[in-house]
Amino acid sequence: MRTEPHLTFDTPLAAVRNLGILAHVDAGKTTVTERILYTTGTTHKRGEVHDGTTVTDFDPQERDRGITIFAAAVSCAWDGHRINLIDTPGHVDFADEVERSLRVLDGAVAVFDAVAGVEPQSESVWRQADRHGVPRLAFVNKMDRAGADLDRAVESIRHALHPAPLVVQLPIGAEDAFTGVVDLLRMRALVWADGDIGATQGPVPPELADEARRRRRLLEEAVAELHPTAMEEFCQHSAVSTPTLAAALRELTRSGDGVVVLCGAAYRNRGIEPLLDAVVAYLPAPPDVPAVRGTHDGTRQTRPADPEAPFAALAFKVNATATGRLTYVRIYSGTIEKGDTVGVPGTGRTERVARILRVMAGRHAPLDRAVAGDIVALVGLRHARAGSTLCAVDAPLVLEPPAVADPVVSVAVEARRSTDTGRLAAALARLAEEDPSLVVRADPETGQTVLSGLGELHLEVAVEKIRRDGGPDVAVGRPRVTHRETVVRGVSGLVFRHVKQDGGAGQFAQVVLDVAPPAGEPGTLGFEFRSTVAGGRVPREYVRAVEAGCRDALAEGPLGGHPVTGLRVTLTDGATHVKDSSETAFRTAGRLGLRAALRGCALVLLEPVAEVTVTVPEDAVGGVLGDLAARRGRVTAATARGGAAVLTATVPLAELFGYATRLRSRTQGRGTFTTRPGGHAPAPGAPDRAR
């Protein structure tokens, strides 16, 4: 039944759920979110992606393109619980939005297409959730599609993502005849009629009784293998009771040892109520997750999810709107009220909270206060950025910010009219403030303003946002990719002496460096520094200065001024002067010494590559394979799925510009593709240097 939302702060912390919706593009994340809002009574009309009427895809670009671009937060109520939900993008170009959302969430629902199963971006967002330790439920969507197969989708989850899938439902009907599910915990049938809200409960259909008992037995055995209490009961009684099974599923979900799998057809509003019940039953509340950890004056501290504790919150998104600047925050501890002053560690500033807003995607409702466990927007903060910590002024704390992905694609941008240069600079600064994965810099050689991001679509959306927000008319240059330089053969025993004497105290530092490729797999990126200096010939504080200098030198390599990665530097010896040695001198020696060493190394140029998954009709495979080969693509897998061919290839990112148009023309508009970052690989014909 539909329930009217009761979003009050009387809701205890144990009845709060902060979760995200994660999936590959077009798996149905936004439709699932819309049906959750409709089923809970938060909205009174079902929004549709194809009509541009969804709540969470409220940005004009999202509605025009039919995809989620910006993570959107909404709140609803179900069975006495308050659910704060974030609908995240599924396109790889907006993975940073997913990363920042996962940093502040306690749980997630991963949505999978019942026909396609695990797709490339499904795997990427799953791994992101793994890194953050976010418990998940799996919802196999689109069970009403032709070719839908729950068992095949579950097997792809097991094979590709490696969790223990615990299937708690059996579908009733298949494809277009899918009408409901059998709840294997309570052994009951839930059937939905077209256009109705709420399922009709009844006994298991006789024709499915044997299969339901078999699957219940499989569920009990799978849970018993993972949970000691369930194992003990299973050994004693050769069965697991429903209460024990439910408690075990909750603990396995929260520990990450298992993932509960449900199914449904969100577009037809089938399966949403059981999904909400599972969210409430299995995903953790704020008190169930470990206390947030931070630092202050170099010491580790924790803050419990307690409204009475000192205030601590993390800003994960900033949005400049026509009505002001909104800072989205997750409150981990304490309470904040309208008019309070909070500290922003790292800036040395304090900020006054002018207003607190409950967020419903593009709409907002004013609040007087917010407490631990809440996700809200604050108005009035001028200096907080995405990743900033907000805390009580008398109890400072710095929380770990979300990781920011390195940009891989760049375009030159300029205002078409010279009088608009200042407006463009302000618009670009606002973009970078809202989205930390966008980087704006000036090219020192050409003087051009360069905008860098995570993909071609990412930059296209950013430039379009400037135009739509009343910015100047912008001219955009051809996209370029960001190269790296790496060491394939190093040098040993390079001696570098830095001596400077120009009156007064001088500078003296001598270092001996070995440079080699990293110790891991060939092609491993990153930077490793160590010291084997014995006898105190280089004091410890000077060793740290040498490392800092070496990191300075990585900004520009000798091949083409690209950043250097994939090397190991060892400080083996050195010398000091009793008066003229200093940290500054050794930092300079480290920087200049490594630059000199790199000129003696064999280096190779790396280019970013992407893993591309192309789905095409079987009659178009030949042409698509030829086009991938022409783009220097290396096909790694080819499978058949429902009359179509699915090709997986590794392709240089620079060769993918304009690929969407080319693929459509080769397949008469029937081909689709997705990409995800594949790291870097040596550029063919790239120059190397060995001096």
Side-chain angles (χ1 to χ4, degrees):
M1 293 179 61
R2 294 180 66 182
T3 61
E4 291 302 318
H6 298 284
L7 302 178
T8 70
F9 288 106
D10 298 329
T11 306
L13 278 179
V16 174
R17 300 291 185 271
N18 293 315
L19 69 139
I21 307 293
L22 313 173
H24 184 88
V25 65
D26 288 336
K29 297 179 311 303
T30 300
T31 301
V32 169
T33 304
E34 291 297 318
R35 297 306 183 262
I36 287 175
L37 297 178
Y38 185 59
T39 301
T40 57
T42 307
T43 59
H44 299 278
K45 182 180 179 181
R46 291 183 293 186
E48 306 295 353
V49 173
H50 55 271
D51 291 335
T53 57
T54 58
V55 172
T56 53
D57 286 354
F58 60 90
D59 186 88
Q61 287 202 71
E62 293 178 309
R63 295 186 170 182
D64 290 348
R65 298 173 187 271
I67 61 171
T68 300
I69 296 173
F70 309 106
V74 293
S75 295
C76 59
W78 180 256
D79 193 23
H81 292 69
R82 185 169 77 247
I83 298 175
N84 298 319
L85 189 152
I86 297 180
D87 179 24
T88 64
H91 197 285
V92 64
D93 281 20
F94 310 105
D96 198 64
E97 289 272 335
V98 182
E99 183 74 18
R100 285 184 278 127
S101 299
L102 283 170
R103 174 64 179 80
V104 300
L105 293 172
D106 301 326
V109 174
V111 180
F112 300 94
D113 188 314
V115 178
V118 175
E119 299 175 89
Q121 191 61 10
S122 310
E123 189 172 349
S124 296
V125 296
W126 190 274
R127 301 303 176 210
Q128 285 178 282
D130 279 343
R131 290 198 303 272
H132 290 279
V134 175
R136 277 143 284 170
L137 303 176
F139 182 71
V140 179
N141 191 29
K142 302 187 179 182
M143 288 293 297
D144 56 339
R145 279 188 62 192
D149 188 326
L150 176 62
D151 291 338
R152 188 174 62 214
V154 170
E155 190 55 36
S156 73
I157 293 173
R158 188 194 314 276
H159 175 73
L161 306 180
H162 310 296
L166 305 171
V167 184
V168 298
Q169 293 176 340
L170 169 66
I172 299 175
E175 300 181 350
D176 193 53
F178 171 75
T179 58
V181 297
V182 173
D183 178 355
L184 297 177
L185 263 72
R186 297 166 183 83
M187 294 305 287
R188 61 179 180 173
L190 302 173
V191 179
W192 288 268
D194 280 335
D196 287 351
I197 295 294
T200 301
Q201 298 185 24
V204 178
E207 66 273 16
L208 293 177
D210 290 342
E211 180 66 10
R213 283 192 291 269
R214 185 183 74 85
R215 293 193 179 232
R216 165 66 184 241
R217 180 72 175 183
L218 291 175
L219 176 62
E220 292 176 0
E221 292 173 353
V223 171
E225 288 181 2
L226 300 170
H227 194 274
T229 303
M231 172 63 79
E232 183 179 349
E233 185 173 315
F234 188 82
C235 291
Q236 289 179 356
H237 306 289
S238 190
V240 181
S241 66
T242 296
T244 301
L245 199 58
L249 289 172
R250 178 169 56 252
E251 293 178 18
L252 292 172
T253 298
R254 295 179 182 184
S255 67
D257 294 326
V259 57
V260 172
V261 181
L262 304 99
C263 63
Y267 180 71
R268 298 170 75 174
N269 215 70
R270 295 174 181 175
I272 300 302
E273 295 96 325
L275 176 61
L276 286 165
D277 291 338
V279 165
V280 168
Y282 304 131
L283 291 180
D288 298 325
V289 298
V292 68
R293 293 178 295 177
T295 59
H296 175 56
D297 289 339
T299 61
R300 302 285 292 179
Q301 297 183 11
T302 60
R303 292 280 171 87
D306 181 358
E308 303 301 323
F311 176 73
L314 183 70
F316 65 96
K317 183 179 175 67
V318 174
N319 187 19
T321 70
T323 57
R325 188 173 181 270
L326 296 180
T327 304
Y328 294 77
V329 302
R330 159 68 190 270
I331 301 175
Y332 285 100
S333 67
T335 301
I336 187 172
E337 297 185 355
K338 184 172 62 174
D340 281 356
T341 298
V342 297
V344 186
T347 67
R349 299 175 182 269
T350 59
E351 303 256 33
R352 183 179 178 275
V353 178
R355 288 189 294 159
I356 305 172
L357 302 176
R358 169 71 67 201
V359 181
M360 184 57 70
R363 304 192 303 272
H364 313 101
L367 302 171
D368 292 328
R369 67 188 182 106
V371 299
D374 272 322
I375 294 177
V376 295
L378 305 181
V379 179
L381 308 185
R382 294 181 298 171
H383 305 291
R385 301 290 184 265
S388 295
T389 301
L390 307 178
C391 61
V393 176
D394 57 353
L397 184 75
V398 178
L399 304 178
E400 181 182 356
V404 179
D406 292 330
V408 294
V409 180
S410 301
V411 293
V413 293
E414 63 179 13
R416 293 190 182 276
R417 295 186 301 180
S418 59
T419 55
D420 287 336
T421 301
R423 291 176 60 206
L424 176 61
L428 290 172
R430 188 166 59 251
L431 274 180
E433 180 182 334
E434 293 185 1
D435 186 351
S437 61
L438 288 171
V439 176
V440 182
R441 63 180 177 85
D443 189 312
E445 295 183 2
T446 65
Q448 291 178 306
T449 299
V450 178
L451 178 64
S452 304
L454 302 183
E456 192 175 7
L457 179 61
H458 189 204
L459 296 179
E460 183 181 323
V461 166
V463 172
E464 182 65 19
K465 185 173 175 60
I466 293 176
R467 295 180 177 131
R468 295 199 181 207
D469 288 350
D473 192 13
V474 180
V476 180
R478 188 180 185 279
R480 297 181 302 168
V481 298
T482 304
H483 290 81
R484 297 285 187 270
E485 300 176 22
T486 191
V487 173
V488 294
R489 188 178 68 251
V491 297
S492 299
L494 183 135
V495 180
F496 186 86
R497 175 178 292 187
H498 171 64
V499 181
K500 184 178 181 181
Q501 191 71 48
D502 53 3
Q507 292 187 22
F508 177 90
Q510 180 173 304
V511 295
V512 182
L513 302 175
D514 290 350
V515 179
E521 293 290 327
T524 301
L525 303 185
F527 171 70
E528 179 185 348
F529 180 89
R530 61 177 181 166
S531 171
T532 60
V533 177
R537 291 178 59 82
V538 179
R540 183 176 301 176
E541 61 270 23
Y542 293 168
V543 171
R544 290 196 295 267
V546 174
E547 179 180 359
C550 289
R551 292 186 182 277
D552 294 341
L554 300 178
E556 296 182 2
L559 289 184
H562 308 291
V564 182
T565 186
L567 73 162
R568 179 179 54 183
V569 177
T570 304
L571 176 65
T572 60
D573 201 357
T576 62
H577 186 276
V578 65
K579 291 184 179 180
D580 293 345
S581 290
S582 63
E583 291 187 26
T584 300
F586 272 88
R587 182 164 185 162
T588 302
R591 183 179 75 254
L592 300 179
L594 182 55
R595 286 182 179 175
L598 290 174
R599 289 194 291 270
C601 293
L603 293 135
V604 67
L605 191 67
L606 302 176
E607 64 178 348
V609 297
E611 183 180 290
V612 183
T613 301
V614 188
T615 304
V616 297
E618 292 182 346
D619 60 0
V621 169
V624 171
L625 285 173
D627 189 47
L628 288 173
R631 295 173 185 270
R632 298 190 283 125
R634 179 171 56 86
V635 177
T636 57
T639 58
R641 181 195 296 161
V646 181
L647 310 175
T648 303
T650 300
V651 185
L653 191 60
E655 301 290 347
L656 287 176
F657 297 133
Y659 183 60
T661 302
R662 184 67 171 174
L663 180 64
R664 283 195 294 267
S665 67
R666 284 190 173 274
T667 62
Q668 290 78 49
R670 296 175 294 165
T672 61
F673 80 101
T674 59
T675 65
R676 63 173 178 172
H680 288 74
D688 58 16
R689 175 174 297 181
R691 291 182 179 176

